Amino acid sequence: AQKVTQAQTEISVVEKEDVTLDCVYETRDTTYYLFWYKQPPSGELVFLIRRNSFDEQNEISGRYSWNFQKSTSSFNFTITASQVVDSAVYFCAAHSGNTPLVFGKGTRLSVIA
Amino acid sequence: KAGVTQTPRYLIKTRGQQVTLSCSPISGHRSVSWYQQTPGQGLQFLFEYFSETQRNKGNFPGRFSGRQFSNSRSEMNVSTLELGDSALYLCASSLRVDGGGYTFGSGTRLTVV
């Protein structure tokens, strides 16, 4: 079964600062998928990215970037030039074909104007 | 296309009652998963259905049950409600069970008094 650890419970940054959210995963499967979701105060989980275990290419999407490193079992998420609208709880999750999606405890990000 | 629809959005029930929550997945999606979110326990997996069959079940008491219909719509039922069942219940749909992206609904916030 997968296990996902988000060691950072809460982070506060000032607007325009860069911030990195850490995620460490554990799995015995060779094929697995990693996700990041954002949960604003409204409660809905908003999908941000999905990566599979065979694709270690890092990805940049606008102000968001993801660093996937199998050697350290990490899938970190960076927001560049943070904005107040980025304030939310961010969840890292993992899944393989035989197991359900497993979430970390989440990191609450507060961006202060 | 329409997203994942959960009804009702809010619900207040009394201890001992039972409740049924509904989830309509994205059209064409055959996998539906349910999660319970509480401040103390985070996002916990309840069950997953694919083509009307339960594929996985989380570690919840038998008071929690679910089913999926031929049109992929799913319901979950909680009998003999307890105060600790107060939570946000989230439903996710996916096109397939192995690595498909999970799209979440807005959730049903259940309060047990």
Side-chain angles (χ1 to χ4, degrees):
Chain A
Q2 280 78 23
K3 181 180 177 182
V4 177
T5 302
Q6 294 179 255
Q8 304 150 308
T9 306
E10 294 190 37
I11 299 177
S12 288
V13 298
V14 177
E15 202 171 23
K16 298 184 182 178
E17 285 185 348
D18 298 346
V19 58
T20 295
L21 309 183
D22 298 332
C23 173
V24 174
Y25 63 91
E26 295 177 32
T27 181
R28 296 179 184 175
D29 297 313
T30 54
T31 301
Y32 53 89
Y33 303 86
L34 302 172
F35 303 78
W36 275 97
Y37 284 87
K38 173 182 179 180
Q39 188 176 43
S42 61
E44 183 176 351
L45 280 170
V46 178
F47 168 78
L48 295 177
I49 190 172
R50 176 189 65 177
R51 301 308 299 268
N52 71 54
S53 51
F54 299 108
D55 184 2
E56 282 192 79
Q57 279 194 1
N58 295 322
E59 183 165 333
I60 297 174
S61 176
R63 296 186 297 107
Y64 296 166
S65 62
W66 290 270
N67 185 347
F68 176 26
Q69 292 194 342
K70 288 176 74 171
S71 60
T72 56
S73 297
S74 65
F75 185 43
N76 296 336
F77 171 36
T78 298
I79 302 174
T80 303
S82 59
Q83 300 176 2
V84 172
V85 293
D86 296 327
S87 296
V89 181
Y90 290 84
F91 290 93
C92 181
H95 153 74
S96 70
N98 296 321
T99 64
L101 191 62
V102 173
F103 288 87
K105 293 292 188 184
T107 298
R108 181 177 299 277
L109 173 65
S110 298
V111 181
I112 304 165
Chain B
K1 57 184 177 182
V4 179
T5 304
Q6 289 189 247
T7 55
R9 286 296 309 275
Y10 302 93
L11 207 48
I12 299 176
K13 289 287 189 178
T14 305
R15 271 184 304 175
Q17 287 186 314
Q18 75 164 14
V19 66
T20 299
L21 311 182
S22 178
C23 172
S24 293
I26 290 172
S27 178
H29 284 196
R30 296 161 63 190
S31 172
V32 173
S33 302
W34 288 90
Y35 289 82
Q36 180 196 65
Q37 186 177 24
T38 59
Q41 299 299 318
L43 279 155
Q44 291 190 289
F45 169 74
L46 281 157
F47 15 69
E48 177 186 20
Y49 289 89
F50 181 79
S51 294
E52 302 178 68
T53 300
Q54 187 178 85
R55 289 191 73 243
N56 283 298
K57 188 176 190 304
N59 189 23
F60 278 82
R63 301 185 296 106
F64 291 81
S65 62
R67 59 178 175 169
Q68 186 180 32
F69 302 95
S70 58
N71 62 356
S72 294
R73 190 178 70 86
S74 177
E75 289 181 347
M76 67 162 282
N77 184 278
V78 187
S79 62
T80 320
L81 283 166
E82 301 177 359
L83 295 179
D85 297 333
S86 295
L88 178 66
Y89 290 87
L90 290 161
C91 162
S93 81
S94 178
L95 187 60
R96 61 182 198 269
V97 297
D98 58 340
Y102 289 82
T103 303
F104 282 81
S106 299
T108 294
R109 188 166 294 280
L110 171 65
T111 302
V112 182
V113 297

